[in-house]
Amino acid sequence: MRSDVEDLMPRLLPIETANKTEALRLNEGAPRNPQEYLRQVQLEASLCPEVVVAQIDPMKLRKAQTVNASVSGCQAAPEGLSPSLGWQRQQVANFSDIRQSIAKHRRHWSTQTLDENVVMPKLSDEEGWKTFCLGETAYKATAASGTHLEPSSALDYSKMGFPPFLSIVSRLNQTTVLALLEILVGWFEEAELVPQLGRWLYALLACLEKPLIPEAHSIIRQLARRCGQLRTTLPSQEDTRLPALNLLICLVARYFEQNDLADQHE
């Protein structure tokens, strides 16, 4: 078989085959010149088996990890609730401008002094982040009863949640942006779209860098599907939640190129 291979693949550097005496000498020490080096390589190659079978112990194989990724799209919008293609294009253009502005001024805003009452939770503190972004009024009341209570007129951010000020979101690195998106989208799965949540979701999407990593793809698709699901429950096109739901679906589908989730032009 080796001769057949050599016929198909002619040698680029023809080397005479070493005799037994020379082979023994080549094995005893380092080659003294290029000719001996090539002969030594030839000798080592001739000693290798043509077919090698690996011995694998099945008991030592780790079970392969799999990721379950849902590829289902958004539920179709009820008649009259789907935005026009022109509206979607305008929202994408506005969103792109905002992202560019944030990126341009991120360093400036990240150096701005925060008020003493602004205490950002640790990354692992999910409950702290929910209260920080949504406020005790929306988060705790919704978690307890499933209904949203109107915030008081007093400007108490601990009660109504901290808005996504540029001085705050500019301090978030991509790990925190993605973790916070996952926390809020997970909460949104069992709750309504309150204004505080909508503002934070928009701001975090504006800070999410492209190209997206797989985890980011999964989270924003989950967000769009939840918006589509909630949109089907709206009583009419006059519902105040409709523009926000359409906007989030639009940005995920059109800007972040999840085209299968996009609302089609009517």
Side-chain angles (χ1 to χ4, degrees), residues 56-77:
I56 301 176
D57 184 357
M59 301 300 295
K60 294 183 178 180
L61 291 176
R62 296 181 60 184
K63 185 178 181 181
Q65 296 182 348
T66 58
V67 177
N68 294 323
S70 174
V71 295
S72 60
C74 286
Q75 295 186 36

mmCIF file with all atom_site columns, all heavy atoms in Angstrom, residues 56-77:
data_model
loop_
_atom_site.group_PDB
_atom_site.id
_atom_site.type_symbol
_atom_site.label_atom_id
_atom_site.label_alt_id
_atom_site.label_comp_id
_atom_site.label_asym_id
_atom_site.label_entity_id
_atom_site.label_seq_id
_atom_site.pdbx_PDB_ins_code
_atom_site.Cartn_x
_atom_site.Cartn_y
_atom_site.Cartn_z
_atom_site.occupancy
_atom_site.B_iso_or_equiv
_atom_site.pdbx_formal_charge
_atom_site.auth_seq_id
_atom_site.auth_comp_id
_atom_site.auth_asym_id
_atom_site.auth_atom_id
_atom_site.pdbx_PDB_model_num
ATOM 1   N N   . ILE A 1 56 ? -10.589 3.611  23.096 1.00 0.00 ? 56 ILE A N   1
ATOM 2   C CA  . ILE A 1 56 ? -11.386 4.568  23.864 1.00 0.00 ? 56 ILE A CA  1
ATOM 3   C C   . ILE A 1 56 ? -12.207 3.823  24.900 1.00 0.00 ? 56 ILE A C   1
ATOM 4   O O   . ILE A 1 56 ? -12.881 2.831  24.585 1.00 0.00 ? 56 ILE A O   1
ATOM 5   C CB  . ILE A 1 56 ? -12.313 5.379  22.938 1.00 0.00 ? 56 ILE A CB  1
ATOM 6   C CG1 . ILE A 1 56 ? -11.484 6.146  21.899 1.00 0.00 ? 56 ILE A CG1 1
ATOM 7   C CG2 . ILE A 1 56 ? -13.177 6.336  23.745 1.00 0.00 ? 56 ILE A CG2 1
ATOM 8   C CD1 . ILE A 1 56 ? -12.328 6.899  20.896 1.00 0.00 ? 56 ILE A CD1 1
ATOM 9   N N   . ASP A 1 57 ? -12.097 4.293  26.120 1.00 0.00 ? 57 ASP A N   1
ATOM 10  C CA  . ASP A 1 57 ? -12.893 3.733  27.201 1.00 0.00 ? 57 ASP A CA  1
ATOM 11  C C   . ASP A 1 57 ? -14.212 4.494  27.266 1.00 0.00 ? 57 ASP A C   1
ATOM 12  O O   . ASP A 1 57 ? -14.247 5.668  27.644 1.00 0.00 ? 57 ASP A O   1
ATOM 13  C CB  . ASP A 1 57 ? -12.158 3.854  28.537 1.00 0.00 ? 57 ASP A CB  1
ATOM 14  C CG  . ASP A 1 57 ? -12.925 3.193  29.679 1.00 0.00 ? 57 ASP A CG  1
ATOM 15  O OD1 . ASP A 1 57 ? -14.038 2.698  29.427 1.00 0.00 ? 57 ASP A OD1 1
ATOM 16  O OD2 . ASP A 1 57 ? -12.405 3.195  30.809 1.00 0.00 ? 57 ASP A OD2 1
ATOM 17  N N   . PRO A 1 58 ? -15.339 3.858  26.880 1.00 0.00 ? 58 PRO A N   1
ATOM 18  C CA  . PRO A 1 58 ? -16.628 4.576  26.882 1.00 0.00 ? 58 PRO A CA  1
ATOM 19  C C   . PRO A 1 58 ? -17.014 5.124  28.241 1.00 0.00 ? 58 PRO A C   1
ATOM 20  O O   . PRO A 1 58 ? -17.729 6.113  28.343 1.00 0.00 ? 58 PRO A O   1
ATOM 21  C CB  . PRO A 1 58 ? -17.627 3.492  26.423 1.00 0.00 ? 58 PRO A CB  1
ATOM 22  C CG  . PRO A 1 58 ? -16.799 2.467  25.730 1.00 0.00 ? 58 PRO A CG  1
ATOM 23  C CD  . PRO A 1 58 ? -15.463 2.475  26.438 1.00 0.00 ? 58 PRO A CD  1
ATOM 24  N N   . MET A 1 59 ? -16.529 4.475  29.312 1.00 0.00 ? 59 MET A N   1
ATOM 25  C CA  . MET A 1 59 ? -16.894 4.917  30.648 1.00 0.00 ? 59 MET A CA  1
ATOM 26  C C   . MET A 1 59 ? -16.283 6.254  31.003 1.00 0.00 ? 59 MET A C   1
ATOM 27  O O   . MET A 1 59 ? -16.736 6.943  31.906 1.00 0.00 ? 59 MET A O   1
ATOM 28  C CB  . MET A 1 59 ? -16.471 3.868  31.682 1.00 0.00 ? 59 MET A CB  1
ATOM 29  C CG  . MET A 1 59 ? -17.106 2.503  31.460 1.00 0.00 ? 59 MET A CG  1
ATOM 30  S SD  . MET A 1 59 ? -18.917 2.581  31.525 1.00 0.00 ? 59 MET A SD  1
ATOM 31  C CE  . MET A 1 59 ? -19.139 3.049  33.252 1.00 0.00 ? 59 MET A CE  1
ATOM 32  N N   . LYS A 1 60 ? -15.214 6.625  30.290 1.00 0.00 ? 60 LYS A N   1
ATOM 33  C CA  . LYS A 1 60 ? -14.524 7.873  30.604 1.00 0.00 ? 60 LYS A CA  1
ATOM 34  C C   . LYS A 1 60 ? -15.024 9.051  29.770 1.00 0.00 ? 60 LYS A C   1
ATOM 35  O O   . LYS A 1 60 ? -14.573 10.180 29.953 1.00 0.00 ? 60 LYS A O   1
ATOM 36  C CB  . LYS A 1 60 ? -13.015 7.716  30.394 1.00 0.00 ? 60 LYS A CB  1
ATOM 37  C CG  . LYS A 1 60 ? -12.374 6.727  31.363 1.00 0.00 ? 60 LYS A CG  1
ATOM 38  C CD  . LYS A 1 60 ? -10.881 6.662  31.150 1.00 0.00 ? 60 LYS A CD  1
ATOM 39  C CE  . LYS A 1 60 ? -10.221 5.701  32.145 1.00 0.00 ? 60 LYS A CE  1
ATOM 40  N NZ  . LYS A 1 60 ? -8.754  5.634  31.952 1.00 0.00 ? 60 LYS A NZ  1
ATOM 41  N N   . LEU A 1 61 ? -15.915 8.761  28.827 1.00 0.00 ? 61 LEU A N   1
ATOM 42  C CA  . LEU A 1 61 ? -16.440 9.844  27.999 1.00 0.00 ? 61 LEU A CA  1
ATOM 43  C C   . LEU A 1 61 ? -17.451 10.649 28.783 1.00 0.00 ? 61 LEU A C   1
ATOM 44  O O   . LEU A 1 61 ? -18.342 10.098 29.432 1.00 0.00 ? 61 LEU A O   1
ATOM 45  C CB  . LEU A 1 61 ? -17.114 9.276  26.747 1.00 0.00 ? 61 LEU A CB  1
ATOM 46  C CG  . LEU A 1 61 ? -16.197 8.619  25.715 1.00 0.00 ? 61 LEU A CG  1
ATOM 47  C CD1 . LEU A 1 61 ? -17.032 8.027  24.598 1.00 0.00 ? 61 LEU A CD1 1
ATOM 48  C CD2 . LEU A 1 61 ? -15.210 9.624  25.159 1.00 0.00 ? 61 LEU A CD2 1
ATOM 49  N N   . ARG A 1 62 ? -17.300 11.947 28.753 1.00 0.00 ? 62 ARG A N   1
ATOM 50  C CA  . ARG A 1 62 ? -18.262 12.820 29.404 1.00 0.00 ? 62 ARG A CA  1
ATOM 51  C C   . ARG A 1 62 ? -19.482 12.948 28.522 1.00 0.00 ? 62 ARG A C   1
ATOM 52  O O   . ARG A 1 62 ? -19.402 13.019 27.305 1.00 0.00 ? 62 ARG A O   1
ATOM 53  C CB  . ARG A 1 62 ? -17.662 14.197 29.650 1.00 0.00 ? 62 ARG A CB  1
ATOM 54  C CG  . ARG A 1 62 ? -16.489 14.186 30.604 1.00 0.00 ? 62 ARG A CG  1
ATOM 55  C CD  . ARG A 1 62 ? -15.974 15.586 30.823 1.00 0.00 ? 62 ARG A CD  1
ATOM 56  N NE  . ARG A 1 62 ? -17.012 16.433 31.386 1.00 0.00 ? 62 ARG A NE  1
ATOM 57  C CZ  . ARG A 1 62 ? -16.840 17.745 31.605 1.00 0.00 ? 62 ARG A CZ  1
ATOM 58  N NH1 . ARG A 1 62 ? -15.718 18.330 31.287 1.00 0.00 ? 62 ARG A NH1 1
ATOM 59  N NH2 . ARG A 1 62 ? -17.815 18.467 32.120 1.00 0.00 ? 62 ARG A NH2 1
ATOM 60  N N   . LYS A 1 63 ? -20.634 12.993 29.159 1.00 0.00 ? 63 LYS A N   1
ATOM 61  C CA  . LYS A 1 63 ? -21.867 13.164 28.416 1.00 0.00 ? 63 LYS A CA  1
ATOM 62  C C   . LYS A 1 63 ? -21.883 14.532 27.742 1.00 0.00 ? 63 LYS A C   1
ATOM 63  O O   . LYS A 1 63 ? -21.603 15.539 28.366 1.00 0.00 ? 63 LYS A O   1
ATOM 64  C CB  . LYS A 1 63 ? -23.059 13.040 29.362 1.00 0.00 ? 63 LYS A CB  1
ATOM 65  C CG  . LYS A 1 63 ? -24.402 13.088 28.639 1.00 0.00 ? 63 LYS A CG  1
ATOM 66  C CD  . LYS A 1 63 ? -25.541 12.909 29.625 1.00 0.00 ? 63 LYS A CD  1
ATOM 67  C CE  . LYS A 1 63 ? -26.879 12.942 28.900 1.00 0.00 ? 63 LYS A CE  1
ATOM 68  N NZ  . LYS A 1 63 ? -28.009 12.782 29.841 1.00 0.00 ? 63 LYS A NZ  1
ATOM 69  N N   . ALA A 1 64 ? -22.144 14.528 26.452 1.00 0.00 ? 64 ALA A N   1
ATOM 70  C CA  . ALA A 1 64 ? -22.113 15.785 25.702 1.00 0.00 ? 64 ALA A CA  1
ATOM 71  C C   . ALA A 1 64 ? -23.190 16.725 26.212 1.00 0.00 ? 64 ALA A C   1
ATOM 72  O O   . ALA A 1 64 ? -24.313 16.320 26.506 1.00 0.00 ? 64 ALA A O   1
ATOM 73  C CB  . ALA A 1 64 ? -22.318 15.505 24.215 1.00 0.00 ? 64 ALA A CB  1
ATOM 74  N N   . GLN A 1 65 ? -22.820 17.981 26.319 1.00 0.00 ? 65 GLN A N   1
ATOM 75  C CA  . GLN A 1 65 ? -23.766 18.996 26.754 1.00 0.00 ? 65 GLN A CA  1
ATOM 76  C C   . GLN A 1 65 ? -24.542 19.516 25.553 1.00 0.00 ? 65 GLN A C   1
ATOM 77  O O   . GLN A 1 65 ? -23.989 19.727 24.479 1.00 0.00 ? 65 GLN A O   1
ATOM 78  C CB  . GLN A 1 65 ? -23.040 20.160 27.437 1.00 0.00 ? 65 GLN A CB  1
ATOM 79  C CG  . GLN A 1 65 ? -22.331 19.762 28.723 1.00 0.00 ? 65 GLN A CG  1
ATOM 80  C CD  . GLN A 1 65 ? -21.671 20.960 29.377 1.00 0.00 ? 65 GLN A CD  1
ATOM 81  O OE1 . GLN A 1 65 ? -21.564 22.010 28.778 1.00 0.00 ? 65 GLN A OE1 1
ATOM 82  N NE2 . GLN A 1 65 ? -21.243 20.784 30.606 1.00 0.00 ? 65 GLN A NE2 1
ATOM 83  N N   . THR A 1 66 ? -25.815 19.699 25.733 1.00 0.00 ? 66 THR A N   1
ATOM 84  C CA  . THR A 1 66 ? -26.659 20.216 24.665 1.00 0.00 ? 66 THR A CA  1
ATOM 85  C C   . THR A 1 66 ? -27.361 21.473 25.138 1.00 0.00 ? 66 THR A C   1
ATOM 86  O O   . THR A 1 66 ? -27.632 21.646 26.320 1.00 0.00 ? 66 THR A O   1
ATOM 87  C CB  . THR A 1 66 ? -27.715 19.181 24.238 1.00 0.00 ? 66 THR A CB  1
ATOM 88  O OG1 . THR A 1 66 ? -28.504 18.835 25.373 1.00 0.00 ? 66 THR A OG1 1
ATOM 89  C CG2 . THR A 1 66 ? -27.049 17.921 23.689 1.00 0.00 ? 66 THR A CG2 1
ATOM 90  N N   . VAL A 1 67 ? -27.629 22.349 24.202 1.00 0.00 ? 67 VAL A N   1
ATOM 91  C CA  . VAL A 1 67 ? -28.338 23.594 24.491 1.00 0.00 ? 67 VAL A CA  1
ATOM 92  C C   . VAL A 1 67 ? -29.657 23.569 23.748 1.00 0.00 ? 67 VAL A C   1
ATOM 93  O O   . VAL A 1 67 ? -29.691 23.397 22.521 1.00 0.00 ? 67 VAL A O   1
ATOM 94  C CB  . VAL A 1 67 ? -27.510 24.823 24.050 1.00 0.00 ? 67 VAL A CB  1
ATOM 95  C CG1 . VAL A 1 67 ? -28.299 26.090 24.297 1.00 0.00 ? 67 VAL A CG1 1
ATOM 96  C CG2 . VAL A 1 67 ? -26.177 24.851 24.785 1.00 0.00 ? 67 VAL A CG2 1
ATOM 97  N N   . ASN A 1 68 ? -30.744 23.709 24.476 1.00 0.00 ? 68 ASN A N   1
ATOM 98  C CA  . ASN A 1 68 ? -32.058 23.734 23.864 1.00 0.00 ? 68 ASN A CA  1
ATOM 99  C C   . ASN A 1 68 ? -32.397 25.170 23.489 1.00 0.00 ? 68 ASN A C   1
ATOM 100 O O   . ASN A 1 68 ? -32.618 26.009 24.349 1.00 0.00 ? 68 ASN A O   1
ATOM 101 C CB  . ASN A 1 68 ? -33.115 23.176 24.822 1.00 0.00 ? 68 ASN A CB  1
ATOM 102 C CG  . ASN A 1 68 ? -32.894 21.701 25.102 1.00 0.00 ? 68 ASN A CG  1
ATOM 103 O OD1 . ASN A 1 68 ? -32.492 20.951 24.213 1.00 0.00 ? 68 ASN A OD1 1
ATOM 104 N ND2 . ASN A 1 68 ? -33.125 21.294 26.340 1.00 0.00 ? 68 ASN A ND2 1
ATOM 105 N N   . ALA A 1 69 ? -32.390 25.439 22.226 1.00 0.00 ? 69 ALA A N   1
ATOM 106 C CA  . ALA A 1 69 ? -32.685 26.796 21.744 1.00 0.00 ? 69 ALA A CA  1
ATOM 107 C C   . ALA A 1 69 ? -33.996 26.788 20.977 1.00 0.00 ? 69 ALA A C   1
ATOM 108 O O   . ALA A 1 69 ? -34.171 26.024 20.021 1.00 0.00 ? 69 ALA A O   1
ATOM 109 C CB  . ALA A 1 69 ? -31.551 27.295 20.840 1.00 0.00 ? 69 ALA A CB  1
ATOM 110 N N   . SER A 1 70 ? -34.894 27.628 21.402 1.00 0.00 ? 70 SER A N   1
ATOM 111 C CA  . SER A 1 70 ? -36.185 27.707 20.724 1.00 0.00 ? 70 SER A CA  1
ATOM 112 C C   . SER A 1 70 ? -36.064 28.580 19.488 1.00 0.00 ? 70 SER A C   1
ATOM 113 O O   . SER A 1 70 ? -35.478 29.654 19.528 1.00 0.00 ? 70 SER A O   1
ATOM 114 C CB  . SER A 1 70 ? -37.239 28.293 21.673 1.00 0.00 ? 70 SER A CB  1
ATOM 115 O OG  . SER A 1 70 ? -38.446 28.502 20.987 1.00 0.00 ? 70 SER A OG  1
ATOM 116 N N   . VAL A 1 71 ? -36.564 28.093 18.387 1.00 0.00 ? 71 VAL A N   1
ATOM 117 C CA  . VAL A 1 71 ? -36.483 28.850 17.141 1.00 0.00 ? 71 VAL A CA  1
ATOM 118 C C   . VAL A 1 71 ? -37.873 29.315 16.703 1.00 0.00 ? 71 VAL A C   1
ATOM 119 O O   . VAL A 1 71 ? -38.050 29.771 15.584 1.00 0.00 ? 71 VAL A O   1
ATOM 120 C CB  . VAL A 1 71 ? -35.839 27.995 16.020 1.00 0.00 ? 71 VAL A CB  1
ATOM 121 C CG1 . VAL A 1 71 ? -34.407 27.681 16.361 1.00 0.00 ? 71 VAL A CG1 1
ATOM 122 C CG2 . VAL A 1 71 ? -36.620 26.705 15.796 1.00 0.00 ? 71 VAL A CG2 1
ATOM 123 N N   . SER A 1 72 ? -38.847 29.179 17.570 1.00 0.00 ? 72 SER A N   1
ATOM 124 C CA  . SER A 1 72 ? -40.197 29.591 17.216 1.00 0.00 ? 72 SER A CA  1
ATOM 125 C C   . SER A 1 72 ? -40.271 31.105 17.102 1.00 0.00 ? 72 SER A C   1
ATOM 126 O O   . SER A 1 72 ? -39.549 31.835 17.773 1.00 0.00 ? 72 SER A O   1
ATOM 127 C CB  . SER A 1 72 ? -41.202 29.093 18.255 1.00 0.00 ? 72 SER A CB  1
ATOM 128 O OG  . SER A 1 72 ? -40.900 29.618 19.527 1.00 0.00 ? 72 SER A OG  1
ATOM 129 N N   . GLY A 1 73 ? -41.152 31.576 16.242 1.00 0.00 ? 73 GLY A N   1
ATOM 130 C CA  . GLY A 1 73 ? -41.283 33.005 16.028 1.00 0.00 ? 73 GLY A CA  1
ATOM 131 C C   . GLY A 1 73 ? -42.309 33.623 16.938 1.00 0.00 ? 73 GLY A C   1
ATOM 132 O O   . GLY A 1 73 ? -42.870 32.983 17.836 1.00 0.00 ? 73 GLY A O   1
ATOM 133 N N   . CYS A 1 74 ? -42.578 34.911 16.711 1.00 0.00 ? 74 CYS A N   1
ATOM 134 C CA  . CYS A 1 74 ? -43.598 35.618 17.489 1.00 0.00 ? 74 CYS A CA  1
ATOM 135 C C   . CYS A 1 74 ? -44.989 35.215 17.001 1.00 0.00 ? 74 CYS A C   1
ATOM 136 O O   . CYS A 1 74 ? -45.182 34.850 15.846 1.00 0.00 ? 74 CYS A O   1
ATOM 137 C CB  . CYS A 1 74 ? -43.439 37.129 17.316 1.00 0.00 ? 74 CYS A CB  1
ATOM 138 S SG  . CYS A 1 74 ? -42.042 37.846 18.181 1.00 0.00 ? 74 CYS A SG  1
ATOM 139 N N   . GLN A 1 75 ? -45.935 35.321 17.904 1.00 0.00 ? 75 GLN A N   1
ATOM 140 C CA  . GLN A 1 75 ? -47.314 35.122 17.494 1.00 0.00 ? 75 GLN A CA  1
ATOM 141 C C   . GLN A 1 75 ? -47.735 36.280 16.596 1.00 0.00 ? 75 GLN A C   1
ATOM 142 O O   . GLN A 1 75 ? -47.383 37.429 16.836 1.00 0.00 ? 75 GLN A O   1
ATOM 143 C CB  . GLN A 1 75 ? -48.222 35.047 18.722 1.00 0.00 ? 75 GLN A CB  1
ATOM 144 C CG  . GLN A 1 75 ? -47.950 33.850 19.619 1.00 0.00 ? 75 GLN A CG  1
ATOM 145 C CD  . GLN A 1 75 ? -48.969 33.736 20.731 1.00 0.00 ? 75 GLN A CD  1
ATOM 146 O OE1 . GLN A 1 75 ? -50.141 34.035 20.538 1.00 0.00 ? 75 GLN A OE1 1
ATOM 147 N NE2 . GLN A 1 75 ? -48.524 33.284 21.892 1.00 0.00 ? 75 GLN A NE2 1
ATOM 148 N N   . ALA A 1 76 ? -48.468 35.968 15.574 1.00 0.00 ? 76 ALA A N   1
ATOM 149 C CA  . ALA A 1 76 ? -48.897 37.000 14.637 1.00 0.00 ? 76 ALA A CA  1
ATOM 150 C C   . ALA A 1 76 ? -49.768 38.028 15.357 1.00 0.00 ? 76 ALA A C   1
ATOM 151 O O   . ALA A 1 76 ? -50.575 37.681 16.221 1.00 0.00 ? 76 ALA A O   1
ATOM 152 C CB  . ALA A 1 76 ? -49.669 36.370 13.487 1.00 0.00 ? 76 ALA A CB  1
ATOM 153 N N   . ALA A 1 77 ? -49.581 39.267 14.972 1.00 0.00 ? 77 ALA A N   1
ATOM 154 C CA  . ALA A 1 77 ? -50.364 40.331 15.601 1.00 0.00 ? 77 ALA A CA  1
ATOM 155 C C   . ALA A 1 77 ? -51.818 40.250 15.161 1.00 0.00 ? 77 ALA A C   1
ATOM 156 O O   . ALA A 1 77 ? -52.113 39.976 13.989 1.00 0.00 ? 77 ALA A O   1
ATOM 157 C CB  . ALA A 1 77 ? -49.786 41.685 15.226 1.00 0.00 ? 77 ALA A CB  1
#
